[in-house]
Amino acid sequence: MFFKVYNVTQFLEDHPGGDEVLLAASGKDATNDFEDVGHSDDAREQMQKYYIGEVDATTIPARRMYKAQTSTAATQQEEPGFLFKIIQFLVPLLILGFAFGLQFLGKKEKTET
Ligand code: HEM
C-alpha cells in the first residue's frame, strides 16, 4: 500500500482551514482527516500543487508509544532518595548528640577537679 505525500509547508498560512489542522495531520496518513472535512473539488485541485511523491506504507516504522517505567526501575530510582532523606535526618541528630556529649563531659571534668 502506498501513501501520497504532500508538502504543505508553504500552504500553512494560506490554508482556509488554518495551519493547526494541517500540523496535527502531518507525518501520518491524513486521508480521513481530509475527507471528513468534505473539501471541494477546488481544494482537491489545489492539493496537486503540493504533491511530492509516494511512500510505501510498510517502510514506515510504527509510532513509538510512551512506555511507563516498570515498577522495579521506579523503586531503584526511589531508593537513593529515601536513603538520602534518612541521612539528612540522622546527621544533624548525631552532631547534636555529639555536642551534648561534649558538654556533659566538660561539666563532669569540672566537678571532679
Ligand atoms: C494539501 C492539502 C490540503 C489542501 C490543498 C486544503 C485546502 C482547503 C481549502 C481550499 C479549503 C476551503 C474549503 C474548500 O474549498 O473545501 C479548506 C478548508 C478546510 N480544510 Fe483543508 N486542505 C488540505 C488539507 C487539509 C487537512 C489534512 C485537513 C484536516 C485535518 C484540513 C482541514 C480543513 C478544514 C477544517 C477546513 C475548513 C472547512 C470549513 O470551514 O468549512 N485540510 N482546505
Side-chain angles (χ1 to χ4, degrees):
M1 188 185 173
F2 286 86
F3 288 127
K4 286 186 171 173
V5 183
Y6 299 87
N7 178 358
V8 290
T9 41
Q10 298 122 20
F11 184 54
L12 287 175
E13 281 180 17
D14 302 327
H15 181 229
D19 58 355
E20 274 183 33
V21 282
L22 290 184
L23 291 170
S26 67
K28 61 165 195 148
D29 178 10
T31 313
N32 290 339
D33 303 277
F34 183 84
E35 295 300 341
D36 286 352
V37 175
H39 282 89
S40 64
D41 290 343
D42 182 44
R44 285 167 202 279
E45 225 171 87
Q46 276 186 51
M47 196 164 74
Q48 298 318 311
K49 280 194 280 183
Y50 308 104
Y51 175 77
I52 52 170
E54 288 190 0
V55 69
D56 184 353
T58 58
T59 63
I60 303 172
R63 283 208 171 187
R64 283 189 181 208
M65 300 288 285
Y66 170 74
K67 243 183 158 184
Q69 275 188 333
T70 59
S71 57
T72 44
T75 45
Q76 268 172 5
Q77 266 193 351
E78 275 166 25
E79 261 175 36
F82 182 67
L83 229 153
F84 187 70
K85 272 183 191 169
I86 289 179
I87 291 170
Q88 255 186 335
F89 180 73
L90 279 180
V91 167
L93 274 183
L94 282 173
I95 293 172
L96 212 70
F98 189 67
F100 274 117
L102 280 179
Q103 212 177 22
F104 179 75
L105 275 178
K107 275 184 187 168
K108 212 177 169 188
E109 271 177 28
K110 270 185 191 171
T111 51
E112 279 172 5
T113 53

